[in-house]
Amino acid sequence: MTSSETNTTTSMPGTSAPDPAELTAWFDAHARDLPWRAPTTTGWGVLVSETMLQQTPVRRVQPVWEEWMARWPRPSDLAAATQAEVLRAWGKLGYPRRALRLHEAASVIATEHGDVVPAEVDALLALPGVGTYTARAVAAFAYGRRAPVVDTNVRRVVARAVHGAGDAGPPAPKRDLADVEALLPADDARAAKMSAALMELGQTVCTVRSPACEACPISHDCAWQHAGRPAYAGPPKKVQRFAGTDRQVRGRLLDVLRGADGPVTREQLDAVWNDAGQRDQCLDSLLTDGLMEQTQDGRFALPGES
DNA sequence: AACGCGTGGGC
DNA sequence: TGCCCAAGCGT
């Protein structure tokens, strides 16, 4: 197949379609040597990496992923661990509910899928903590399936290269998926590589703040380039506050428990935040979320260690 | 469909 | 500094 056969929209005003051959050739030459990309990595290893990478940068994930793979090489290994062990091993990756959901997913995989991460998107979507992105990422990256992968990086690459916009607007799941679907070659292997290449391009070249267009393999065919790289003109992006939020308080409370050998007293938890009302509310929500437990004598502990 | 959910680093 | 950002998910 020639590139012209897949570039069906290049003649439309204001749009372009990246050439899969150019993108995948660039990926072969420039992809970072990330451990979960090793050919020996199992579906389990990919699922763990994708879960850890949800909203957490590669640099912080890498050492933790290595530890997890050495300690829990199969889903059944993780399933056999306690929640407290899992939460401590998760460390400070953030959003610790991801760790509990991955723990649950490991049990499901062990008992219902023969200890092998499923390759079908629908089966993956049924797992706790696996959403539309992660399901397709595992299908594509672990099993070489043609599954459109839409993350923040891909949305940005598509916004620029295809639509000529400075950045992606608010997520529009149906349209975003259709956009990527239209870019992928028909066969599994090349589609999977194209998905990986789109993500890698967005992470390392087509970045938010300082895109390295001179190093981009598809800049010659980029609608944003051709339009003179106009600034983002969409609705302003929502800013996530952190200082003073429950998220910060919960993080501090949980950090006390991670650092302790066993149950801690309420006084130890009281010390990390001075607003008693907010503190108690966060304590309650952590208990509700199953991220901590209260012992019979009224102390607090990570789940499964008391 | 917004919103809440951790943490750390870059500028 | 404070703000923005980082391979999302569940509700």
Side-chain angles (χ1 to χ4, degrees), chain A residues 157-177:
Chain A
V157 170
V158 169
R160 288 176 178 166
V162 177
H163 299 298
D167 202 348
K174 271 193 72 174
R175 185 194 129 171
D176 295 340
L177 190 63

Side-chain angles (χ1 to χ4, degrees), chain A residues 5-81:
Chain A
E5 286 173 301
T6 54
N7 282 340
T8 54
T9 63
T10 44
S11 59
M12 291 172 54
T15 67
S16 296
D19 182 347
E22 288 176 327
L23 211 43
T24 55
W26 169 84
F27 183 76
D28 284 337
H30 297 285
R32 291 166 297 175
D33 187 21
L34 301 173
W36 42 85
R37 285 179 175 165
T40 52
T41 303
T42 62
W44 171 239
V46 173
L47 176 60
V48 172
S49 75
E50 293 300 340
T51 303
M52 290 180 171
L53 287 163
Q54 293 168 6
Q55 302 286 279
T56 303
V58 168
R59 256 184 304 283
R60 291 170 50 206
V61 165
Q62 186 160 338
V64 181
W65 183 87
E66 303 273 15
E67 291 169 17
W68 277 53
M69 288 301 100
R71 185 172 179 182
W72 297 307
R74 299 165 304 179
S76 55
D77 298 317
L78 182 67

Side-chain angles (χ1 to χ4, degrees), chain A residues 47-300:
Chain A
L47 176 60
V48 172
S49 75
E50 293 300 340
T51 303
M52 290 180 171
L53 287 163
Q54 293 168 6
Q55 302 286 279
T56 303
V58 168
R59 256 184 304 283
R60 291 170 50 206
V61 165
Q62 186 160 338
V64 181
W65 183 87
E66 303 273 15
E67 291 169 17
W68 277 53
M69 288 301 100
R71 185 172 179 182
W72 297 307
R74 299 165 304 179
S76 55
D77 298 317
L78 182 67
T82 67
Q83 291 176 309
E85 288 172 327
V86 171
L87 288 170
R88 285 213 173 83
W90 191 260
K92 307 198 80 169
L93 289 182
Y95 294 143
R97 294 187 296 186
R98 289 181 293 168
L100 294 185
R101 291 183 183 132
L102 186 54
H103 189 219
E104 296 172 33
S107 290
V108 175
I109 295 163
T111 60
E112 298 182 18
H113 297 284
D115 220 13
V116 177
V117 172
E120 301 297 330
V121 170
D122 287 345
L124 287 158
L125 280 172
L127 298 171
V130 176
T132 55
Y133 162 76
T134 302
R136 294 194 171 90
V138 170
F141 305 149
Y143 298 112
R145 300 295 179 91
R146 183 182 186 281
V149 175
V150 180
D151 78 329
T152 182
N153 297 295
V154 173
R155 291 191 342 100
R156 183 173 56 255
V157 170
V158 169
R160 288 176 178 166
V162 177
H163 299 298
D167 202 348
K174 271 193 72 174
R175 185 194 129 171
D176 295 340
L177 190 63
D179 281 346
V180 178
E181 161 73 32
L183 297 179
L184 298 186
D187 66 289
D188 280 318
R190 294 198 308 147
K193 183 170 284 194
M194 174 92 172
S195 292
L198 285 168
M199 285 185 60
E200 185 78 354
L201 189 73
Q203 289 156 12
T204 66
V205 173
C206 194
T207 61
V208 178
R209 288 182 178 146
S210 50
C213 299
E214 70 286 352
C216 179
I218 59 171
S219 62
H220 65 89
D221 194 22
C222 172
W224 190 45
Q225 281 292 327
H226 293 154
R229 292 170 63 173
Y232 172 68
K237 311 211 167 188
K238 304 268 182 168
V239 178
Q240 276 253 21
R241 304 283 171 186
F242 180 68
T245 63
D246 286 1
R247 225 154 69 251
Q248 181 178 27
V249 180
R250 286 164 56 105
R252 287 195 184 183
L253 292 170
L254 212 50
D255 198 40
V256 172
L257 295 185
R258 278 194 303 262
D261 288 333
V264 304
T265 64
R266 177 177 283 277
E267 287 67 33
Q268 289 175 268
L269 295 177
D270 286 351
V272 304
W273 200 255
N274 55 27
D275 181 337
Q278 188 179 20
R279 211 175 53 217
D280 290 346
Q281 178 182 319
C282 289
L283 218 47
D284 284 344
S285 72
L286 287 169
L287 291 165
T288 298
D289 290 348
L291 285 164
M292 70 167 64
E293 288 176 352
Q294 196 159 19
T295 60
Q296 290 198 338
D297 62 10
R299 291 183 296 166
F300 298 87

